[in-house]
mmCIF file of all heavy atoms in Angstrom:
data_model
loop_
_atom_site.group_PDB
_atom_site.id
_atom_site.type_symbol
_atom_site.label_atom_id
_atom_site.label_comp_id
_atom_site.label_asym_id
_atom_site.label_seq_id
_atom_site.Cartn_x
_atom_site.Cartn_y
_atom_site.Cartn_z
ATOM 1 N N SER A 2 48.479 -75.592 58.213
ATOM 2 C CA SER A 2 49.106 -76.815 58.736
ATOM 3 C C SER A 2 48.062 -77.858 59.037
ATOM 4 O O SER A 2 46.876 -77.553 59.193
ATOM 5 C CB SER A 2 49.888 -76.509 60.011
ATOM 6 O OG SER A 2 48.993 -76.232 61.066
ATOM 7 N N LEU A 4 47.704 -79.494 61.705
ATOM 8 C CA LEU A 4 47.162 -79.262 63.054
ATOM 9 C C LEU A 4 46.053 -78.213 63.055
ATOM 10 O O LEU A 4 45.164 -78.242 63.851
ATOM 11 C CB LEU A 4 48.265 -78.856 64.042
ATOM 12 C CG LEU A 4 49.239 -79.965 64.381
ATOM 13 C CD1 LEU A 4 50.330 -79.402 65.276
ATOM 14 C CD2 LEU A 4 48.558 -81.143 65.028
ATOM 15 N N LEU A 7 42.780 -80.244 62.046
ATOM 16 C CA LEU A 7 42.260 -81.266 62.948
ATOM 17 C C LEU A 7 41.795 -80.642 64.263
ATOM 18 O O LEU A 7 42.449 -79.740 64.808
ATOM 19 C CB LEU A 7 43.325 -82.294 63.280
ATOM 20 C CG LEU A 7 43.824 -83.128 62.102
ATOM 21 C CD1 LEU A 7 44.924 -84.059 62.588
ATOM 22 C CD2 LEU A 7 42.721 -83.888 61.435
ATOM 23 N N CYS A 10 37.386 -83.512 69.135
ATOM 24 C CA CYS A 10 36.091 -83.116 69.732
ATOM 25 C C CYS A 10 35.791 -83.883 70.997
ATOM 26 O O CYS A 10 35.114 -83.392 71.885
ATOM 27 C CB CYS A 10 34.975 -83.381 68.722
ATOM 28 S SG CYS A 10 35.148 -82.486 67.210
ATOM 29 N N ILE A 14 38.119 -93.123 77.089
ATOM 30 C CA ILE A 14 38.778 -94.437 77.252
ATOM 31 C C ILE A 14 37.697 -95.429 77.505
ATOM 32 O O ILE A 14 36.956 -95.349 78.478
ATOM 33 C CB ILE A 14 39.803 -94.397 78.420
ATOM 34 C CG1 ILE A 14 40.896 -93.389 78.101
ATOM 35 C CG2 ILE A 14 40.387 -95.818 78.627
ATOM 36 C CD1 ILE A 14 41.914 -93.217 79.206
ATOM 37 N N VAL A 18 40.874 -98.694 75.879
ATOM 38 C CA VAL A 18 41.354 -98.230 74.608
ATOM 39 C C VAL A 18 40.900 -96.757 74.412
ATOM 40 O O VAL A 18 39.774 -96.399 74.646
ATOM 41 C CB VAL A 18 40.776 -99.076 73.427
ATOM 42 C CG1 VAL A 18 41.199 -98.551 72.061
ATOM 43 C CG2 VAL A 18 41.201 -100.521 73.606
ATOM 44 N N LEU A 26 37.996 -80.300 58.903
ATOM 45 C CA LEU A 26 37.374 -79.361 57.986
ATOM 46 C C LEU A 26 35.833 -79.345 58.137
ATOM 47 O O LEU A 26 35.119 -79.407 57.147
ATOM 48 C CB LEU A 26 37.775 -79.645 56.537
ATOM 49 C CG LEU A 26 39.249 -79.506 56.246
ATOM 50 C CD1 LEU A 26 39.551 -79.938 54.819
ATOM 51 C CD2 LEU A 26 39.718 -78.052 56.458
ATOM 52 N N TYR A 34 38.576 -98.407 61.345
ATOM 53 C CA TYR A 34 38.225 -99.605 62.124
ATOM 54 C C TYR A 34 37.354 -99.252 63.310
ATOM 55 O O TYR A 34 36.424 -99.992 63.649
ATOM 56 C CB TYR A 34 39.496 -100.332 62.559
ATOM 57 C CG TYR A 34 40.321 -100.784 61.376
ATOM 58 C CD1 TYR A 34 41.514 -100.147 61.070
ATOM 59 C CD2 TYR A 34 39.875 -101.777 60.552
ATOM 60 C CE1 TYR A 34 42.251 -100.536 59.988
ATOM 61 C CE2 TYR A 34 40.599 -102.198 59.436
ATOM 62 C CZ TYR A 34 41.806 -101.556 59.169
ATOM 63 O OH TYR A 34 42.533 -101.943 58.076
ATOM 64 N N LEU A 39 32.081 -99.305 66.165
ATOM 65 C CA LEU A 39 30.988 -98.539 66.757
ATOM 66 C C LEU A 39 29.674 -98.844 66.057
ATOM 67 O O LEU A 39 28.619 -98.990 66.688
ATOM 68 C CB LEU A 39 31.293 -97.059 66.702
ATOM 69 C CG LEU A 39 32.404 -96.557 67.637
ATOM 70 C CD1 LEU A 39 32.685 -95.109 67.395
ATOM 71 C CD2 LEU A 39 32.057 -96.822 69.091
ATOM 72 N N LEU A 40 29.705 -98.929 64.720
ATOM 73 C CA LEU A 40 28.463 -99.214 63.976
ATOM 74 C C LEU A 40 27.952 -100.630 64.341
ATOM 75 O O LEU A 40 26.767 -100.829 64.460
ATOM 76 C CB LEU A 40 28.687 -99.074 62.475
ATOM 77 C CG LEU A 40 28.896 -97.643 61.993
ATOM 78 C CD1 LEU A 40 29.259 -97.646 60.496
ATOM 79 C CD2 LEU A 40 27.698 -96.777 62.246
ATOM 80 N N VAL A 46 23.026 -103.262 69.769
ATOM 81 C CA VAL A 46 22.180 -102.693 70.803
ATOM 82 C C VAL A 46 20.770 -102.444 70.226
ATOM 83 O O VAL A 46 19.766 -102.717 70.879
ATOM 84 C CB VAL A 46 22.765 -101.402 71.381
ATOM 85 C CG1 VAL A 46 21.777 -100.650 72.268
ATOM 86 C CG2 VAL A 46 24.028 -101.726 72.181
ATOM 87 N N HIS A 47 20.675 -101.943 68.984
ATOM 88 C CA HIS A 47 19.380 -101.667 68.359
ATOM 89 C C HIS A 47 18.603 -102.982 68.220
ATOM 90 O O HIS A 47 17.379 -103.038 68.509
ATOM 91 C CB HIS A 47 19.565 -101.007 67.016
ATOM 92 C CG HIS A 47 18.293 -100.756 66.280
ATOM 93 N ND1 HIS A 47 17.379 -99.795 66.687
ATOM 94 C CD2 HIS A 47 17.740 -101.364 65.220
ATOM 95 C CE1 HIS A 47 16.336 -99.845 65.910
ATOM 96 N NE2 HIS A 47 16.525 -100.759 64.993
ATOM 97 N N LEU A 49 18.922 -105.732 70.010
ATOM 98 C CA LEU A 49 18.542 -106.166 71.345
ATOM 99 C C LEU A 49 17.350 -105.351 71.859
ATOM 100 O O LEU A 49 16.386 -105.936 72.407
ATOM 101 C CB LEU A 49 19.711 -106.076 72.313
ATOM 102 C CG LEU A 49 20.812 -107.115 72.139
ATOM 103 C CD1 LEU A 49 21.994 -106.758 73.032
ATOM 104 C CD2 LEU A 49 20.312 -108.487 72.428
ATOM 105 N N SER A 51 15.002 -103.984 70.254
ATOM 106 C CA SER A 51 13.778 -104.327 69.543
ATOM 107 C C SER A 51 13.179 -105.642 70.046
ATOM 108 O O SER A 51 12.017 -105.942 69.728
ATOM 109 C CB SER A 51 14.056 -104.406 68.044
ATOM 110 O OG SER A 51 14.836 -105.553 67.715
ATOM 111 N N ILE A 53 12.889 -106.527 73.403
ATOM 112 C CA ILE A 53 12.525 -106.539 74.832
ATOM 113 C C ILE A 53 11.047 -106.205 75.042
ATOM 114 O O ILE A 53 10.409 -105.490 74.288
ATOM 115 C CB ILE A 53 13.402 -105.575 75.650
ATOM 116 C CG1 ILE A 53 13.218 -104.136 75.189
ATOM 117 C CG2 ILE A 53 14.839 -105.996 75.562
ATOM 118 C CD1 ILE A 53 13.998 -103.141 76.024
ATOM 119 N N ASN A 54 10.528 -106.777 76.114
ATOM 120 C CA ASN A 54 9.164 -106.494 76.543
ATOM 121 C C ASN A 54 9.206 -105.593 77.782
ATOM 122 O O ASN A 54 10.277 -105.174 78.219
ATOM 123 C CB ASN A 54 8.381 -107.784 76.849
ATOM 124 C CG ASN A 54 9.017 -108.599 77.992
ATOM 125 O OD1 ASN A 54 9.471 -108.035 78.961
ATOM 126 N ND2 ASN A 54 9.004 -109.909 77.849
ATOM 127 N N LEU A 62 16.573 -101.244 82.984
ATOM 128 C CA LEU A 62 16.719 -99.941 83.606
ATOM 129 C C LEU A 62 17.188 -100.038 85.056
ATOM 130 O O LEU A 62 18.047 -99.257 85.493
ATOM 131 C CB LEU A 62 15.400 -99.160 83.532
ATOM 132 C CG LEU A 62 14.985 -98.750 82.126
ATOM 133 C CD1 LEU A 62 13.552 -98.149 82.146
ATOM 134 C CD2 LEU A 62 15.986 -97.777 81.526
ATOM 135 N N ARG A 75 31.444 -99.679 81.573
ATOM 136 C CA ARG A 75 31.929 -98.965 80.396
ATOM 137 C C ARG A 75 33.439 -99.103 80.205
ATOM 138 O O ARG A 75 34.011 -98.468 79.371
ATOM 139 C CB ARG A 75 31.556 -97.481 80.404
ATOM 140 C CG ARG A 75 30.054 -97.268 80.336
ATOM 141 C CD ARG A 75 29.709 -95.777 80.274
ATOM 142 N NE ARG A 75 28.281 -95.598 80.440
ATOM 143 C CZ ARG A 75 27.687 -95.286 81.571
ATOM 144 N NH1 ARG A 75 28.404 -95.091 82.653
ATOM 145 N NH2 ARG A 75 26.383 -95.157 81.630
ATOM 146 N N PHE A 78 32.724 -104.102 81.340
ATOM 147 C CA PHE A 78 31.390 -104.586 80.902
ATOM 148 C C PHE A 78 30.557 -103.370 80.494
ATOM 149 O O PHE A 78 30.822 -102.269 80.900
ATOM 150 C CB PHE A 78 30.703 -105.410 81.992
ATOM 151 C CG PHE A 78 30.188 -104.650 83.180
ATOM 152 C CD1 PHE A 78 28.863 -104.237 83.225
ATOM 153 C CD2 PHE A 78 31.018 -104.355 84.219
ATOM 154 C CE1 PHE A 78 28.404 -103.507 84.316
ATOM 155 C CE2 PHE A 78 30.545 -103.660 85.343
ATOM 156 C CZ PHE A 78 29.243 -103.205 85.381
ATOM 157 N N PHE A 79 29.601 -103.638 79.592
ATOM 158 C CA PHE A 79 28.898 -102.563 78.917
ATOM 159 C C PHE A 79 27.400 -102.805 78.941
ATOM 160 O O PHE A 79 26.926 -103.860 79.337
ATOM 161 C CB PHE A 79 29.411 -102.441 77.473
ATOM 162 C CG PHE A 79 30.914 -102.279 77.406
ATOM 163 C CD1 PHE A 79 31.721 -103.389 77.331
ATOM 164 C CD2 PHE A 79 31.488 -101.045 77.440
ATOM 165 C CE1 PHE A 79 33.102 -103.229 77.272
ATOM 166 C CE2 PHE A 79 32.826 -100.852 77.388
ATOM 167 C CZ PHE A 79 33.664 -101.983 77.314
ATOM 168 N N SER A 80 26.634 -101.809 78.468
ATOM 169 C CA SER A 80 25.183 -101.947 78.449
ATOM 170 C C SER A 80 24.748 -103.132 77.611
ATOM 171 O O SER A 80 23.750 -103.801 77.938
ATOM 172 C CB SER A 80 24.516 -100.665 77.971
ATOM 173 O OG SER A 80 24.932 -100.354 76.666
ATOM 174 N N ASP A 82 26.038 -105.980 77.573
ATOM 175 C CA ASP A 82 26.088 -107.140 78.467
ATOM 176 C C ASP A 82 24.796 -107.222 79.306
ATOM 177 O O ASP A 82 24.259 -108.287 79.529
ATOM 178 C CB ASP A 82 27.313 -107.054 79.398
ATOM 179 C CG ASP A 82 28.620 -107.176 78.627
ATOM 180 O OD1 ASP A 82 28.731 -108.082 77.812
ATOM 181 O OD2 ASP A 82 29.500 -106.344 78.903
ATOM 182 N N ASN A 85 22.021 -108.377 76.959
ATOM 183 C CA ASN A 85 22.182 -109.822 76.685
ATOM 184 C C ASN A 85 21.737 -110.646 77.891
ATOM 185 O O ASN A 85 21.063 -111.651 77.754
ATOM 186 C CB ASN A 85 23.612 -110.150 76.325
ATOM 187 C CG ASN A 85 23.939 -109.801 74.905
ATOM 188 O OD1 ASN A 85 23.081 -109.864 74.020
ATOM 189 N ND2 ASN A 85 25.173 -109.436 74.650
ATOM 190 N N ALA A 86 22.177 -110.253 79.081
ATOM 191 C CA ALA A 86 21.841 -111.002 80.287
ATOM 192 C C ALA A 86 20.324 -111.081 80.493
ATOM 193 O O ALA A 86 19.789 -112.151 80.780
ATOM 194 C CB ALA A 86 22.505 -110.396 81.517
ATOM 195 N N GLN A 89 18.542 -112.732 76.843
ATOM 196 C CA GLN A 89 18.900 -114.100 76.471
ATOM 197 C C GLN A 89 18.861 -115.064 77.640
ATOM 198 O O GLN A 89 18.557 -116.255 77.467
ATOM 199 C CB GLN A 89 20.256 -114.120 75.825
ATOM 200 C CG GLN A 89 20.291 -113.361 74.518
ATOM 201 C CD GLN A 89 21.690 -113.193 73.927
ATOM 202 O OE1 GLN A 89 22.663 -113.611 74.506
ATOM 203 N NE2 GLN A 89 21.748 -112.567 72.768
ATOM 204 N N TRP A 101 26.205 -113.965 86.413
ATOM 205 C CA TRP A 101 26.169 -114.123 84.942
ATOM 206 C C TRP A 101 27.458 -113.559 84.336
ATOM 207 O O TRP A 101 28.049 -114.192 83.483
ATOM 208 C CB TRP A 101 24.940 -113.400 84.384
ATOM 209 C CG TRP A 101 24.810 -113.465 82.896
ATOM 210 C CD1 TRP A 101 24.123 -114.462 82.193
ATOM 211 C CD2 TRP A 101 25.313 -112.571 81.931
ATOM 212 N NE1 TRP A 101 24.232 -114.192 80.864
ATOM 213 C CE2 TRP A 101 24.955 -113.043 80.643
ATOM 214 C CE3 TRP A 101 26.067 -111.392 82.012
ATOM 215 C CZ2 TRP A 101 25.287 -112.396 79.464
ATOM 216 C CZ3 TRP A 101 26.435 -110.752 80.833
ATOM 217 C CH2 TRP A 101 26.024 -111.253 79.582
ATOM 218 N N HIS A 104 30.391 -115.827 85.043
ATOM 219 C CA HIS A 104 30.307 -117.063 84.284
ATOM 220 C C HIS A 104 30.539 -116.845 82.793
ATOM 221 O O HIS A 104 31.259 -117.644 82.165
ATOM 222 C CB HIS A 104 28.909 -117.720 84.524
ATOM 223 C CG HIS A 104 28.717 -118.955 83.714
ATOM 224 N ND1 HIS A 104 29.350 -120.169 84.038
ATOM 225 C CD2 HIS A 104 27.957 -119.192 82.627
ATOM 226 C CE1 HIS A 104 28.975 -121.054 83.160
ATOM 227 N NE2 HIS A 104 28.151 -120.511 82.295
ATOM 228 N N ILE A 108 34.334 -111.800 84.483
ATOM 229 C CA ILE A 108 34.521 -110.492 85.101
ATOM 230 C C ILE A 108 33.899 -110.529 86.490
ATOM 231 O O ILE A 108 32.737 -110.860 86.628
ATOM 232 C CB ILE A 108 33.886 -109.363 84.281
ATOM 233 C CG1 ILE A 108 34.557 -109.250 82.909
ATOM 234 C CG2 ILE A 108 33.901 -108.018 85.015
ATOM 235 C CD1 ILE A 108 33.855 -108.340 81.918
ATOM 236 N N LEU A 110 32.619 -108.568 89.756
ATOM 237 C CA LEU A 110 32.217 -107.257 90.272
ATOM 238 C C LEU A 110 32.334 -107.230 91.773
ATOM 239 O O LEU A 110 32.113 -108.133 92.450
ATOM 240 C CB LEU A 110 30.758 -106.931 89.894
ATOM 241 C CG LEU A 110 30.449 -106.886 88.395
ATOM 242 C CD1 LEU A 110 29.003 -106.447 88.190
ATOM 243 C CD2 LEU A 110 31.361 -105.940 87.680
#
Side-chain angles (χ1 to χ4, degrees):
S2 72
L4 290 177
L7 298 178
C10 300
I14 297 177
V18 177
L26 297 175
Y34 299 108
L39 290 175
L40 291 175
V46 170
H47 178 71
L49 288 172
S51 70
I53 63 175
N54 61 39
L62 292 173
R75 297 183 189 98
F78 72 96
F79 305 89
S80 60
D82 294 312
N85 282 329
Q89 296 172 357
W101 180 90
H104 177 74
I108 296 171
L110 300 185

